[in-house]
Amino acid sequence: MLKKWNKKYWAGMGVILALTGCTSVADMVGYDTATLNEDAAKSYSQVIQNARGQKALDVSSPTAQRVQRVFARLRPHAERANKTGVPFNWQMNVIRSDEMNAWAMPGGKMAVYTGIVEKLKLTDAEIAAVVGHEMTHALLEHSKKALGGQVLTGLGGSILASSTGVDGDLVGLGADLLATKPFSRHQESEADAGGVRLMAEAGYNPEAAVSVWEKMNKVQGGSSLSILSTHPTNQARINAIRKMLPEVMPIYQKNKR
């Protein structure tokens, strides 16, 4: 029985491991880059329209002006870093909200909430760290890879549950902890690294990326267990960025204004 179970188990795992390219999986199910970017642009237009209707779209405050100025400096470097094969129509909007948040949709549709700038009292360089981080999510097509990962997780759970007889919910939890969440943390680490490089190329001091997370630590009062989070702990991010500084500081020194 054990021998037979192992054979089925590894057969199922073989299917999963054969489909390790999450971006390719997304392409297979119809989420190619151009289509995903087009759909994201439509969603983004609706989000901005809703914000405008709620009088939450900030186009003139000092905070909005600073965000747009930083975005404009980073954009040429993000355009050069685009390896997706599809040009991005980068766009930034600032939303008046107490929420400490920023995001980028596929294709470079971005938003920064005033809460993250004003509550953390971010400098321009720290804003660059936040914006560069979100730009990197878009450039590395993390949303597309997440879609592929969801397909793989669903497929893998079905295969393993049917071949092993283990409860499907337990298989799903295992897949979530061992695949989805670590992959998401890996994406966040990639975005941190790419964002630090973008800000250095644009002439912003990469050390500001460390101070962003130090400020977040103070506001959040630490972080929960990393294994149960989709993001690395703030301290883990600080440590990783500090390790990058010897590599990116010369880039900053060359481009600083």
Side-chain angles (χ1 to χ4, degrees):
M1 180 68 179
L2 180 61
K3 194 171 185 179
K4 185 177 181 182
W5 185 92
N6 279 338
K7 186 176 181 180
K8 288 184 177 180
Y9 174 85
W10 289 113
M13 286 301 295
V15 174
I16 298 171
L17 294 173
L19 294 173
T20 53
C22 290
T23 301
S24 298
V25 172
D27 285 319
M28 288 166 56
V29 296
Y31 289 105
D32 61 278
T33 297
T35 299
L36 198 60
N37 291 0
E38 183 179 339
D39 289 346
K42 293 176 183 176
S43 297
Y44 184 76
S45 294
Q46 187 62 53
V47 169
I48 299 308
Q49 182 179 334
N50 291 344
R52 185 179 290 110
Q54 296 168 8
K55 301 188 184 306
L57 196 62
D58 188 344
V59 297
S60 60
S61 75
T63 295
Q65 291 174 16
R66 290 175 60 215
V67 170
Q68 293 291 359
R69 184 168 60 246
V70 170
F71 170 72
R73 268 179 66 173
L74 288 168
R75 179 173 177 169
H77 303 281
E79 288 174 344
R80 283 195 289 272
N82 185 354
K83 308 300 182 186
T84 68
V86 178
F88 284 10
N89 181 16
W90 291 95
Q91 189 174 351
M92 169 66 77
N93 275 282
V94 179
I95 296 175
R96 173 60 56 182
S97 170
D98 288 337
E99 186 178 350
M100 292 194 300
N101 198 14
W103 45 261
M105 289 183 176
K109 305 301 186 185
M110 304 186 66
V112 170
Y113 293 19
T114 55
I116 193 170
V117 178
E118 295 170 358
K119 287 186 177 181
L120 296 182
K121 296 181 171 58
L122 297 184
T123 65
D124 283 5
E126 289 168 339
I127 293 172
V130 172
V131 174
H133 172 98
E134 299 303 332
M135 282 178 158
T136 304
H137 275 309
L139 289 167
L140 296 182
E141 299 191 279
H142 283 162
S143 294
K144 183 178 177 182
K145 291 176 182 176
L147 286 169
Q150 288 172 10
V151 173
L152 285 179
T153 300
L155 174 62
S158 298
I159 292 172
L160 293 180
S162 63
S163 64
T164 64
V166 176
D167 183 86
D169 290 339
L170 293 178
V171 172
L173 175 60
D176 189 41
L177 287 174
L178 297 177
T180 307
K181 288 190 184 302
F183 180 72
S184 183
R185 289 201 299 274
H186 177 64
Q187 288 179 335
E188 291 297 329
S189 297
E190 284 186 322
D192 285 342
V196 167
R197 179 169 290 275
L198 284 175
M199 65 186 295
E201 291 173 350
Y204 290 105
N205 190 338
E207 292 175 331
V210 172
S211 60
V212 168
W213 292 108
E214 288 175 337
K215 289 181 177 182
M216 287 293 288
N217 253 345
K218 291 179 181 178
V219 170
Q220 295 176 342
S223 181
S224 59
L225 288 175
S226 182
I227 186 63
L228 296 177
S229 171
T230 58
H231 288 54
T233 63
N234 293 344
Q235 191 57 51
R237 301 177 96 145
I238 290 169
N239 294 341
I241 292 168
R242 281 179 174 154
K243 288 180 180 178
M244 283 191 64
L245 290 179
E247 176 187 346
V248 295
M249 286 302 289
I251 300 174
Y252 160 64
Q253 294 293 340
K254 180 181 178 181
N255 294 288
K256 70 178 180 179
R257 302 182 183 183

